Amino acid sequence: MMSSLPPSSYLIIGAGVFGASTALHLKRSDSTATISLVDGGPLPNTSAASHDINKIIRADYEDVFWMRIALEAIHQWKNNPIYKPYYHKTGMVYAEDMGIARKVIENFKTLCGASPSNIMSVEEAKSSFNGVFSDGNWTGVKESYWSPETGWAEADHALKSVIQAALDHGVSYRESAVQKLIIDKHGICSGIITESGTKMMADHIILCTGARTAQLLASSAPHNKDIQTGGRLVAAGAVSCAARLPAPQRDLFQAAPVLFNAMEHTRGESLGPTKDGVLKFNSELSFTNNVYHEESDQMISIPPTAQSQRTWSQDVPQILKDDVRRVMTNTYGKQVEGIEVESYRMCWDSLTPNQDWILSPHPKVRNLYIAAGGSFHSWKFLPVIGSCVVKMLRGELDQEHARRWGWDRRDEGGANTVYEPGRDLGDITTHGDAAG
Ligand SMILES: Cc1cc2nc3c(=O)[nH]c(=O)nc-3n(C[C@H](O)[C@H](O)[C@H](O)COP(=O)(O)OP(=O)(O)OC[C@H]3O[C@@H](n4cnc5c(N)ncnc54)[C@H](O)[C@@H]3O)c2cc1C
């Protein structure tokens, strides 16, 4: 049983999966609290990393810590009416040469007594699922891994469902872009100032601002490095594309599971098709967008200001379009020959050095809490993130969780190391387009 808090007011800034889930769980756990969810755009905000066609829902983690939380989330995806209508259990094939699959199977055995997943030979993967992967690029794949419990969720619909549930419980929504936090000289945060100059005050302010967290803290305390994120949360982008299958081809793809091809030649994922015949592909080759932040006189990675560079559009450098088109071709080969990509997207997330979240009170600012660090793998936790944040707010995280999700910590392990950014958008735009 959770202890009850005195009646309190909360501002949750950001309505992606971290903010929406926090709003719902917080209000459920304390019906007397006044909770406002604040976001800069109509919901779900199409600039948010959480906005998407679909996202992979899997428990296949090398780290038992994350597998345990993902299993809790998947239980909700399968059973809770808020999430269940949007979850599609398609299974997932993971093609790799690093032995990760065997580690994951061991983790399942440790946690569940048996593994629902198994090793699948390359030949079997190519001949299964209507043979849809038979012409993909399997070069160098030692073995593949079959995870029948994995699938994907309709991202926008599920996020909307959680936001609606929070509003139905009495959370209020304020559409406003936050310019800065109000932090006094004693290091106490009492509210926010919006871009239009309105002040909103509350007892507790929770930042669920994803890729914009570093910028917001730097703008709020431009001369105080102890308050800024430093390297703890870095905005990083990854590119996706969406292609629609012509109606006659849809039958062939109907049984297609998620394919995660971790080989150097591909490094990407395919999801779908959706009921409208849309296939989505992600490239794992992520990048920063380092720009000069004038107020704090430093370079910070910040998502681009142009909306078209944060949501579905054609406004993506050619080299990134080529990266993700390669994922498409390497997944399906001649099965997708001639199929046009309808739209591309640079999706911006906040990345921690070891991909563990930061769920923590800010150690230098009273009444301020951070819930961020999605690190390209956190959408699936939509059903459970909020309960973790509520525990953090109440000081009820156990030692391991508090240590792993702390603001200051010794980074260890790594939930999703494949996504570390190796380049910057500025360089890609300058050199990449010339080359591509
Ligand atoms: C290409 C790509 C593919 C991915 N695929 C998967 C996947 O298959 N499965 C999976 O589990 N995870 C996946 N992820 C990761 C997942 O999408 C993110 O980790 C997660 O959505 C992050 O959620 P968030 O709430 O932290 O941030 P966001 O969803 O970005 O939400 C932050 C919100 O804060 C608001 N905000 C920010 N600053 C302000 C401000 N100053 N004022 C007002 N509002 C503000 C924004 O408008 C936004 O709505 C993927 C990520 C990417 C980029």
Side-chain angles (χ1 to χ4, degrees), residues 56-76:
I56 302 168
I57 309 294
R58 62 175 170 96
D60 317 274
Y61 276 89
E62 271 183 280
D63 184 342
V64 172
F65 176 89
W66 283 109
M67 181 182 275
R68 191 179 283 118
I69 304 167
L71 285 169
E72 282 170 33
I74 290 183
H75 180 75
Q76 298 291 320

Side-chain angles (χ1 to χ4, degrees), residues 13-20 38-41 43-52 54-58 61 159 176-180 195 208-213 215-216 236-240 269 271 280 282-283 310 345-350 357 371-381 385 419:
I13 319 301
V17 289
F18 280 75
V38 183
D39 199 290
L43 300 181
N45 192 324
T46 54
S47 292
S50 303
H51 153 77
D52 212 331
N54 45 18
K55 298 279 194 194
I56 302 168
I57 309 294
R58 62 175 170 96
Y61 276 89
L159 181 57
S176 280
V178 177
Q179 191 184 43
K180 52 178 75 171
E195 279 177 4
C208 301
T209 37
R212 297 207 160 262
T213 310
Q215 178 194 22
L216 183 57
V239 73
S240 307
E269 300 126 27
L271 289 81
K280 193 191 92 169
N282 299 323
S283 164
R310 291 180 274 139
R345 182 186 186 201
M346 286 190 269
C347 174
W348 296 90
D349 202 1
S350 60
W357 299 335
S375 303
F376 297 110
H377 73 107
S378 297
W379 199 94
K380 64 184 69 63
F381 300 107
I385 291 174
Y419 263 118

Side-chain angles (χ1 to χ4, degrees), residues 42 54 71 81 89 102 104 167 191 202 222 239 300 312 318 363 365 392 407 410 414 428:
N54 45 18
L71 285 169
K89 188 164 87 81
R102 290 184 185 270
V104 172
L167 299 181
V239 73
I300 308 181
W312 293 96
Q318 188 59 43
V365 186
M392 177 274 287
W407 175 262
R410 213 166 37 99
I428 294 169

Side-chain angles (χ1 to χ4, degrees), residues 80-91:
N80 187 326
I82 296 180
Y83 312 98
K84 192 177 168 186
Y86 311 108
Y87 176 60
H88 302 269
K89 188 164 87 81
T90 59

Side-chain angles (χ1 to χ4, degrees), residues 51 53 239-244 278-281 308 311-316 321 324-325 328 340-346:
H51 153 77
I53 299 165
V239 73
S240 307
C241 76
R244 196 176 302 271
V278 173
L279 295 171
K280 193 191 92 169
F281 303 88
S308 58
T311 194
W312 293 96
S313 75
Q314 292 296 328
D315 190 6
V316 170
K321 289 182 175 175
V324 74
R325 178 78 210 200
M328 183 171 163
E340 295 277 318
V341 169
E342 273 187 1
S343 199
Y344 296 88
R345 182 186 186 201
M346 286 190 269

Side-chain angles (χ1 to χ4, degrees), residues 178-350:
V178 177
Q179 191 184 43
K180 52 178 75 171
L181 306 168
I182 302 169
I183 303 171
D184 73 13
K185 61 176 194 271
H186 306 292
I188 298 172
C189 183
S190 55
I192 56 161
I193 303 177
T194 69
E195 279 177 4
S196 59
T198 306
K199 286 186 180 173
M200 293 182 209
M201 313 304 279
D203 300 327
H204 306 280
I205 290 87
I206 309 168
L207 292 193
C208 301
T209 37
R212 297 207 160 262
T213 310
Q215 178 194 22
L216 183 57
L217 283 172
S219 296
S220 304
H223 307 298
N224 191 337
K225 295 261 184 236
D226 288 345
I227 292 179
Q228 297 167 18
T229 53
R232 292 176 184 89
L233 291 165
V234 173
V239 73
S240 307
C241 76
R244 196 176 302 271
L245 291 166
Q249 262 167 277
R250 291 187 190 169
D251 273 359
L252 176 71
F253 286 77
Q254 221 166 34
V258 169
L259 176 67
F260 194 155
N261 190 329
M263 302 305 292
E264 204 54 37
H265 51 65
T266 304
R267 294 191 57 190
E269 300 126 27
S270 70
L271 289 81
T274 64
K275 63 178 183 321
D276 304 322
V278 173
L279 295 171
K280 193 191 92 169
F281 303 88
N282 299 323
S283 164
E284 288 172 356
L285 304 173
S286 76
F287 42 88
T288 50
N289 185 43
N290 289 312
V291 292
Y292 181 62
H293 185 256
E294 205 173 324
E295 293 157 282
S296 65
D297 187 25
Q298 63 183 326
M299 298 294 285
I300 308 181
S301 181
I302 297 174
T305 45
Q307 162 78 357
S308 58
Q309 295 194 327
R310 291 180 274 139
T311 194
W312 293 96
S313 75
Q314 292 296 328
D315 190 6
V316 170
Q318 188 59 43
I319 196 166
L320 298 179
K321 289 182 175 175
D322 293 345
D323 280 349
V324 74
R325 178 78 210 200
R326 190 170 52 247
V327 175
M328 183 171 163
T329 306
N330 282 353
T331 302
Y332 290 119
K334 63 175 187 284
Q335 319 280 19
V336 290
E337 240 167 44
I339 296 179
E340 295 277 318
V341 169
E342 273 187 1
S343 199
Y344 296 88
R345 182 186 186 201
M346 286 190 269
C347 174
W348 296 90
D349 202 1
S350 60

